[in-house]
Amino acid sequence: MCELFGVSSKNKVQLNEMLKEFASHSVRHPNGWGMAVFYGNSVSLEKEPVPACKSVYLRERLRHTFRASNMIAHIRLATRGTMDFENCHPFVMRDNSNRTWTLAHNGTIFDCPVMTQYVHTQEGQTDSERILCHLIDLVDTRQEQLKRPLDAKERFRLVDEMVCSIALHNKLNLLIYDSEQFYVHTNYANSLYVKQSEDTAFFATVPLDRGNWKPAEFTTLLGYKDGRQIFTGTNHGQEYIDNPKDMQFIFVDYASL
């Protein structure tokens, strides 16, 4: 399992202390780190295939005030893919309307045939990158059918449909940002928490301070904008429970690379 940290806020908030605490967890999640900060449709993406707690770059970065209104960070414990830059989260892609989508994943896709088409076209080797490839294909197809970009509600419904379609038998904790709204999902017990304050929502695999963190709504996609929940998706009920037999799908996947 990896760890996720994200923020959705109406205004910029200082994140140094939470990021330092988050980075300290990389002792147990040493296979790379990454962070995406958003400015409209633009993304500042920083990542390295080294433990966050040993990153000279990140340490220097956090010596100075770090503020953001929307941000996704990730520390990696690899189940698929080598310890290289292209396998570090978050992943960023643009759809055919030039909207930027960013995704970080905590979990594993054990068996999902629709993802196999991306094995030889993705930049890295992770199942997480394949989720974003699949999502972009779905968005592009829907927009081509409608002959126009999707609005916010339509984008949420499409992501909800995708999550419901791939959640069965897969560990699927997600933070996604589409340059306007945040998508949050967990189907693995006690592995994603939310701290809500006025106009700011923090999301983390493990609470990062002594604030009032609560478990995220389970097996249901949530949509946030400016720190407030604006959409609630379908409760698909597909909780992932650890099963050693699922590891066989990872071995099969590696064999196909």
Side-chain angles (χ1 to χ4, degrees), residues 24 48 56-58 111 114 129 156 187 198 234 240 245:
S24 74
E48 290 181 294
V56 175
Y57 173 86
L58 184 58
D111 184 25
V114 72
E129 184 186 359
F156 182 84
N187 69 340
E198 186 174 356
T234 306
Y240 180 78
K245 291 184 179 179

Side-chain angles (χ1 to χ4, degrees), residues 9-254:
S9 183
K10 185 176 181 179
N11 302 299
K12 288 186 176 182
V13 292
Q14 187 164 335
L15 298 171
N16 294 68
E17 294 307 312
M18 282 190 181
L19 282 168
K20 289 176 183 177
E21 175 64 24
F22 183 66
S24 74
H25 299 178
S26 64
V27 172
R28 301 183 301 278
H29 303 80
N31 302 127
W33 68 275
M35 181 168 61
V37 180
F38 306 103
Y39 307 93
N41 199 41
S42 299
V43 182
S44 174
L45 182 64
E46 304 164 74
K47 52 186 184 179
E48 290 181 294
V50 300
C53 59
K54 295 183 179 180
S55 169
V56 175
Y57 173 86
L58 184 58
R59 183 167 63 249
E60 288 300 309
R61 184 82 163 84
L62 296 180
R63 285 183 58 209
H64 306 280
T65 300
F66 186 102
R67 295 171 61 83
S69 54
N70 294 283
M71 187 276 301
I72 294 175
H74 184 276
I75 50 176
R76 183 172 181 239
L77 180 61
T79 55
R80 282 192 172 101
T82 55
M83 189 171 168
D84 292 302
F85 178 87
E86 61 267 24
N87 291 323
C88 294
H89 306 219
F91 302 99
V92 179
M93 295 182 67
R94 289 180 182 265
D95 66 28
N96 62 10
S97 71
N98 204 39
R99 177 176 293 278
T100 302
W101 294 75
T102 302
L103 176 147
H105 174 218
N106 169 15
T108 305
I109 303 298
F110 292 102
D111 184 25
C112 189
V114 72
M115 300 292 182
T116 59
Q117 62 185 304
Y118 306 108
V119 168
H120 299 294
T121 59
Q122 64 184 123
E123 291 187 7
Q125 300 92 40
T126 66
D127 51 358
S128 306
E129 184 186 359
R130 291 174 214 168
I131 300 172
L132 184 57
C133 291
H134 180 47
L135 174 57
I136 294 298
D137 276 354
L138 293 173
V139 172
D140 285 347
T141 298
R142 188 70 55 86
Q143 292 183 153
E144 288 169 3
Q145 292 170 344
L146 296 174
K147 307 299 183 185
R148 60 169 175 79
L150 302 179
D151 64 27
K153 190 172 184 179
E154 289 169 332
R155 294 196 305 275
F156 182 84
R157 286 177 175 171
L158 187 146
V159 177
D160 185 48
E161 290 171 9
M162 182 198 73
V163 167
C164 290
S165 71
I166 67 174
L168 181 64
H169 301 314
N170 294 309
K171 192 184 297 182
L172 201 63
N173 287 4
L174 294 169
L175 295 182
I176 303 172
Y177 188 67
D178 72 0
S179 301
E180 182 181 350
Q181 58 192 14
F182 234 96
Y183 305 79
V184 179
H185 178 267
T186 178
N187 69 340
Y188 187 60
N190 304 314
S191 63
L192 192 63
Y193 294 84
V194 180
K195 186 175 79 166
Q196 181 73 59
S197 58
E198 186 174 356
D199 295 331
T200 303
F202 299 97
F203 317 100
T205 302
V206 177
L208 298 174
D209 62 17
R210 296 188 178 185
N212 185 24
W213 295 82
K214 297 180 180 180
E217 191 164 347
F218 204 52
T219 63
T220 303
L221 183 71
L222 305 177
Y224 285 79
K225 183 178 181 182
D226 295 335
R228 292 290 183 181
Q229 185 181 334
I230 57 171
F231 294 125
T232 301
T234 306
N235 186 342
H236 54 73
Q238 300 297 335
E239 177 181 3
Y240 180 78
I241 299 173
D242 287 322
N243 180 358
K245 291 184 179 179
D246 285 334
M247 295 304 294
Q248 66 182 304
F249 295 112
I250 293 180
F251 300 140
V252 170
D253 192 28
Y254 269 124

